[in-house]
Amino acid sequence: MRIVNIAVLASGKGSNFEAIVNAQRRGQIRAEIKLLLVDKVKAFARQKAKRLGVREIFLSPKDYPTSLEFDRAAVKILKSEKIDLVVLAGYLRILSPYFIKKYKNRILNIHPALLPSFKGIDSIQRAFEYGCKITGVTVHLVDEKVDHGPIILQEPVWIKKGMSLELLEKKIHHLEHKLYPLAIRLFIQKKLKIKGRNVSTI
Ligand code: GRF
């Protein structure tokens, strides 16, 4: 069986990208991480890719008149690299229906809250300021709606009395770096059974 080819798409720091590469190098994920695709020239993830020796491709949104054109270019690259699984890791673009159709049920995303709560940005801070006692991390399949697709894995983080936002952020990111490789591993091992919104592990 051909080894699964992964592309990671990121716009920011790239800590999840790094965790995924490390998990792959430890043998936790049996796949090839073919490339990192970024849409922000200053994304720190680009430096991480260079340091880790992963091919990095920058696509500038300025070069495309519409986001659909941008996605067409991105998909063209992914297809030419025979990418099987697309992993969004802090990718700040909403994928077009075109992109999603091309990689139906083969796009993963990680969200720093327990979906469907706190969709969108600044989720850790919003859960904290809302006074939640519990928040967490979600890994899900990507569909046409933002932070909406079927949930693969979810784990809680307790917001204990007196906990600072900084500590909560640290705990969430730590959990992300554990949960994302796990979900990718389940995907690669074909252990995910998707039925409507329900994803069970075989
Ligand atoms: C993570 O918190 C992830 O859940 C969210 O964006 C952030 C990306 O962080 N989607 P990083 O760039 O991987 O460090």
Side-chain angles (χ1 to χ4, degrees), residues 4-11 16-21 29 31-38 78 83-91 95 99 103 106-110 139-140 142 152 176 179-181 183-185 187-188:
V4 170
N5 288 330
I6 296 179
V8 179
L9 275 53
S11 306
N16 280 284
F17 161 66
E18 185 174 31
I20 293 160
V21 172
I29 297 172
E32 190 175 338
I33 300 170
K34 293 268 292 195
L35 60 99
L36 171 80
L37 193 142
V38 295
L78 301 178
I83 298 300
D84 305 295
L85 173 64
V86 177
V87 173
L88 308 185
Y91 187 60
L95 299 187
F99 193 137
Y103 276 93
R106 292 190 294 147
I107 309 170
L108 306 184
N109 185 40
I110 189 156
V139 180
H140 65 96
V142 173
I152 298 172
E176 287 188 323
L179 217 59
Y180 218 175
I184 293 169
R185 182 186 162 97
F187 181 96
I188 287 166

Side-chain angles (χ1 to χ4, degrees), residues 33-48:
I33 300 170
K34 293 268 292 195
L35 60 99
L36 171 80
L37 193 142
V38 295
D39 67 326
K40 295 258 189 295
V41 69
K42 288 189 177 149
F44 190 63
R46 301 183 73 187
Q47 290 180 39
K48 292 216 153 138

